[in-house]
Amino acid sequence: CFVQSCCETLLSLKKTTGSGFTFSTPYFYDGLTYYGESKFVECAEERKRYDYCSSLRICTYEGSTGLSFLCSYFPSDFIVVGSSLVEMMDMMRSGACNVMAGNKESLLLNIASIDIPSGGDFVMGDRLMTNEPYAVVTRNDDSEFSDIINWVVQALFYGEEKGLTKSSSLCEMYTNSTRSLSDLNFLNAVYCVGNYGEILHGDDNNRGANQINNGTTGMLYAIPFGELQPENDHNYEGISSNSTVLHNMRNNGTLNCGVIDPGGHDSAEVDETLVGMSVDYCRTLAAALFNGNFESINLLRFSANDDDSFLALNNGTIDVISGVKIEKKYDFESSALNGGFHFSTPYYYGNKTEGDNAIYSLATRDANVLLSSFVNCIVLATIYAQKNNIAKKNSVDLPLVSLFGNEFTWALRDAIGYSGSYDQIYEKNFDKGSEEEGRGRNDLNEYGGPQILSFPGLN
């Protein structure tokens, strides 16, 4: 099962049910952007307020995410607030402002339906100023169903990547209800309904982040953390520090972390740089677990050419695998491995130009829901730190998190206190000279570039 958002994803615990939730891979990316006179849109995006930009006036409306964002980055005399979306449009039309701020999808729909100035010097901004991903939500006590949902989403992406479209002749009706879940024909989602682009029905030239990533631009996406310190968190079932697997790991004093030697690359140098990065993620996780002590770790090296690492994870020899390729065959329970596995948010994408389409992450057992969420939260913290200019020296700027119990409140700060931001980890392990050639997908998706990419295993 793929844990694609942070702690809150699996730990949005309901007091009445004791259950959390799993989010699929995001299938739609939105966020705040600007629309208006081109020169003033540029002023808003650059947060420039002098020279001709002193005439910048940005319309928004009460209760919108745009208002809270603008109040954080602009003085009040640059902001014009309406009571509703309709009033914001009216203010733009009357000239009370020269830029509107709102979710891109909403602006696109409303600009097309209302007599708002268009064409000429009026443009939609190129940047998404906030990150607002949308996903399918399932209960975290049914990992198999969550896996099925996620692979349906992946199939839609894969269909567009490969040019597969809706086809009544290929739409398959199942006759055997006992079919193995891993053998389900997920491409049925495409053949019976349509691929991602067909379902989106959008202008291919104006899809922003909702486009297929071709490997030339960054895919490191800082998914919002959400509320990490809910009220009365000590009353939530399942997160008491006295009963969690995290608490037991801390008492044991050591993280057992498997590291994959990927193999199959053209040179040992590439292997070692990726292995080094995987080791750093193991140590970052140890720092988060043990109050900053990144040396409380037992590292075991495994080959990528067999299933030994997953067998070791399944029988408890190791707690987590770092540097593992995301593959569908390991996501579902099987007789050989006995259990399905969670894959964290990816932290490294193979070099497509060199024929490496692998996606690397950390893996945990399906049964360890809290640990899986914790691991994913730490991976995302490195990307969050990068987006928010947080490094080792100012790691205390990371939020506190009480969802895993009070003893792990400083987990994010301890993690980044050791590793630093994603760039600090990357540059430590990869030659800085390679920056001239570009990092491809291993770069921050800062302003809403293409973010859609299927995981391997559907062909």
Side-chain angles (χ1 to χ4, degrees):
C1 155
F2 296 92
V3 191
Q4 282 295 332
S5 60
C6 194
C7 317
E8 194 179 25
T9 298
L10 290 177
L11 291 176
S12 299
L13 299 178
K14 296 271 189 178
K15 229 175 134 178
T16 55
T17 64
S19 177
F21 303 96
T22 297
F23 288 23
S24 72
T25 297
Y27 62 82
F28 190 82
Y29 296 86
D30 202 357
L32 181 138
T33 192
Y34 299 111
Y35 175 84
E37 296 181 51
S38 59
K39 66 178 182 180
F40 290 117
V41 167
E42 183 179 355
C43 293
E45 289 183 339
E46 299 296 332
R47 300 174 192 164
K48 182 179 176 182
R49 294 180 280 111
Y50 56 89
D51 293 340
Y52 67 86
C53 292
S54 62
S55 299
L56 171 66
R57 296 295 181 271
I58 308 175
C59 279
T60 187
Y61 59 96
E62 293 177 357
S64 68
T65 56
L67 179 57
S68 59
F69 176 85
L70 293 174
C71 288
S72 299
Y73 292 101
F74 292 94
S76 59
D77 52 326
F78 283 81
I79 306 171
V80 184
V81 183
S83 60
S84 66
L85 175 64
V86 172
E87 186 175 357
M88 179 183 76
M89 295 287 180
D90 288 340
M91 292 189 298
M92 181 70 179
R93 187 165 46 227
S94 69
C97 54
N98 42 40
V99 170
M100 294 188 298
N103 279 18
K104 185 173 183 177
E105 187 69 11
S106 176
L107 290 179
L108 286 170
L109 290 173
N110 285 280
I111 289 169
S113 62
I114 300 178
D115 184 22
I116 281 289
S118 61
D121 289 334
F122 284 81
V123 299
M124 183 73 71
D126 294 327
R127 302 179 181 179
L128 288 182
M129 310 308 294
T130 61
N131 290 353
E132 299 177 29
Y134 294 81
V136 182
V137 184
T138 51
R139 290 172 59 94
N140 69 7
D141 57 5
D142 190 347
S143 61
E144 287 189 336
F145 183 62
S146 299
D147 291 341
I148 291 172
I149 294 297
N150 195 70
W151 280 105
V152 168
V153 174
Q154 297 299 323
L156 299 179
F157 298 164
Y158 180 83
E160 182 172 3
E161 291 168 357
K162 300 300 182 182
L164 306 177
T165 58
K166 183 177 179 180
S167 171
S168 58
S169 64
L170 295 174
C171 179
E172 177 186 8
M173 297 295 291
Y174 290 125
T175 58
N176 183 3
S177 60
T178 62
R179 190 171 184 165
S180 170
L181 294 178
S182 61
D183 293 331
L184 289 174
N185 182 11
F186 291 100
L187 292 181
N188 244 2
V190 176
Y191 298 139
C192 300
V193 181
N195 67 36
Y196 179 69
E198 289 178 293
I199 294 173
L200 199 59
H201 296 305
D203 179 359
D204 288 345
N205 297 319
N206 200 21
R207 282 168 52 178
N210 302 301
Q211 300 180 73
I212 302 298
N213 186 292
N214 64 10
T216 61
T217 58
M219 284 194 65
L220 302 176
Y221 186 88
I223 289 178
F225 275 113
E227 179 55 62
L228 301 185
Q229 291 186 281
E231 295 181 4
N232 301 321
D233 60 285
H234 58 279
N235 290 327
Y236 280 68
E237 182 181 346
I239 63 172
S240 169
S241 63
N242 292 325
S243 61
T244 67
V245 63
L246 297 175
H247 178 77
N248 292 336
M249 290 174 67
R250 173 168 283 191
N251 280 347
N252 291 336
T254 302
L255 170 69
N256 295 305
C257 192
V259 178
I260 300 296
D261 182 347
H265 292 284
D266 293 334
S267 69
E269 179 184 359
V270 177
D271 283 352
E272 289 307 314
T273 54
L274 183 52
V275 169
M277 193 174 195
S278 299
V279 169
D280 273 339
Y281 269 99
C282 284
R283 294 194 182 280
T284 301
L285 182 57
L289 285 167
F290 303 114
N291 289 321
N293 185 358
F294 61 89
E295 294 182 339
S296 294
I297 192 168
N298 179 30
L299 295 168
L300 294 88
R301 192 155 173 163
F302 293 90
S303 169
N305 299 322
D306 54 44
D307 292 336
D308 287 354
S309 59
F310 285 99
L311 291 170
L313 181 59
N314 192 60
N315 65 30
T317 301
I318 55 177
D319 305 304
V320 62
I321 312 172
S322 185
V324 66
K325 294 180 182 180
I326 295 177
E327 296 185 72
K328 180 168 70 73
K329 66 179 181 179
Y330 295 119
D331 203 20
F332 293 94
E333 183 175 341
S334 69
S335 57
L337 297 174
N338 190 30
F341 302 94
H342 280 283
F343 293 95
S344 75
T345 294
Y347 66 81
Y348 186 81
Y349 295 86
N351 190 332
K352 183 177 180 181
T353 61
E354 296 180 3
D356 180 11
N357 290 313
I359 301 173
Y360 299 87
S361 72
L362 283 82
T364 47
R365 294 179 61 211
D366 261 348
N368 290 340
V369 175
L370 286 173
L371 176 60
S372 298
S373 184
F374 187 86
V375 168
N376 193 66
C377 196
I378 300 308
V379 174
L380 278 170
T382 64
I383 301 172
Y384 177 93
Q386 181 62 37
K387 181 176 176 60
N388 291 278
N389 298 311
I390 301 174
K392 292 181 181 182
K393 63 182 179 181
N394 61 326
S395 61
V396 292
D397 291 343
L398 268 295
L400 297 172
V401 50
S402 60
L403 286 170
F404 300 105
N406 291 332
E407 62 187 321
F408 296 105
T409 303
W410 273 62
L412 303 186
R413 297 178 176 184
D414 288 335
I416 303 307
Y418 163 71
S419 70
S421 67
Y422 181 88
D423 271 11
Q424 288 180 294
I425 299 173
Y426 187 95
E427 292 171 2
K428 174 183 174 182
N429 292 285
F430 290 85
D431 183 3
K432 290 186 179 181
S434 64
E435 295 285 317
E436 299 178 0
E437 302 174 3
R439 283 165 42 176
R441 295 179 176 126
N442 299 305
D443 215 340
L444 194 65
N445 187 348
E446 193 166 6
Y447 296 120
Q451 189 63 28
I452 303 300
L453 179 70
S454 69
F455 293 142
L458 284 163
N459 55 326

